[in-house]
Amino acid sequence: MKIEKEAEKILQNFSEALKDIPDLEETHYMVDNVNLSREDCAEDKNPEKIMHNTHVDEEGNLIVEKGKWVK
């Protein structure tokens, strides 16, 4: 019963606080930029930066792990 009384008191306080909020008209925004997209442009790729964290053998070949599902 104590929880119900506290909940009722909270609802009453909240209801009284809402009385002080003035009624406002809704604001609608008419915007013509629906479904805008940017131009597709490729960024310059730096192979040295990409290869920086890779393992390479003496011949310059990448050393990668073979897929575990491959026999």
Side-chain angles (χ1 to χ4, degrees), residues 35-43:
N35 294 331
L36 289 181
S37 59
R38 60 179 172 81
E39 278 190 39
D40 190 17
C41 58
E43 295 180 11

Side-chain angles (χ1 to χ4, degrees), residues 19-67:
K19 290 179 185 176
D20 297 334
I21 298 175
D23 291 333
L24 300 174
E25 293 183 25
E26 292 184 28
T27 304
H28 298 279
Y29 297 98
M30 300 303 288
V31 182
D32 291 336
N33 59 358
V34 178
N35 294 331
L36 289 181
S37 59
R38 60 179 172 81
E39 278 190 39
D40 190 17
C41 58
E43 295 180 11
D44 293 333
K45 294 177 177 57
N46 185 355
E48 292 176 6
K49 189 174 182 181
I50 294 171
M51 299 292 285
H52 182 70
N53 290 325
T54 59
H55 299 286
V56 182
D57 65 6
E58 302 86 32
E59 298 174 5
N61 300 317
L62 290 176
I63 301 173
V64 296
E65 180 181 341
K66 184 177 180 180

